[in-house]
Amino acid sequence: MVAERESGRVRVRGRDDEERLGAAELGGELGERATLVQFSSAFCAPCRATRRILGEVAGIVPGVTHVEIDAEDNLDLVRALGILKTPTVLVLDADGRVVRRATGQPRKADVIAALGKAF
């Protein structure tokens, strides 16, 4: 199934370069070098594993922050960003620009590689 093959892959979407998020949208400060933004829902099992992976990456890569956003409580932001499923991870650069996006549970190595585009 195509959706399963694409799940967890970090990819670039053309319009993401125009999207920018700040502390007001995130409910917290941007990371000094990059921010990993995770959109989750309450009963999403892959969201828990994604939370752990992103937390580990933020803990080992200096200047990177992990922010988790409840998709159900932030429907306006979810719609504005075109979030269709959880977990969805956005990689933001230091200025809050969306430089990478992943749907599904990402692999730690892919997240670390995606951070290279944010630095």
Side-chain angles (χ1 to χ4, degrees):
M1 180 180 246
V2 173
E4 289 176 7
R5 284 189 302 223
E6 295 297 318
S7 184
R9 288 210 175 148
V10 178
R11 60 189 167 79
V12 177
R13 290 181 5 166
R15 70 185 185 101
D16 286 351
D17 289 336
E18 303 301 319
E19 294 171 340
R20 193 177 285 229
L21 299 174
E25 293 89 3
L26 299 177
E29 292 300 315
L30 290 169
E32 184 179 309
R33 296 177 69 197
T35 305
L36 300 170
V37 180
Q38 174 184 349
F39 286 86
S40 299
S41 53
F43 299 104
C44 167
C47 293
R48 290 187 290 277
T50 299
R51 179 184 311 119
R52 181 185 50 77
I53 291 167
L54 298 182
E56 288 175 8
V57 171
I60 61 173
V61 180
V64 174
T65 300
H66 171 226
V67 175
E68 187 170 5
I69 297 175
D70 185 306
E72 295 173 36
D73 290 341
N74 294 280
L75 289 177
D76 289 339
L77 183 59
V78 165
R79 288 182 185 118
L81 294 170
I83 306 294
L84 301 176
K85 66 185 249 182
T86 58
T88 292
V89 177
L90 305 178
V91 179
L92 310 181
D93 65 11
D95 296 324
R97 281 189 303 267
V98 179
V99 295
R100 290 284 188 261
R101 172 184 293 243
T103 55
Q105 182 181 331
R107 296 179 322 154
K108 185 190 280 190
D110 291 338
V111 174
I112 292 170
L115 284 172
K117 273 297 200 193
F119 297 156

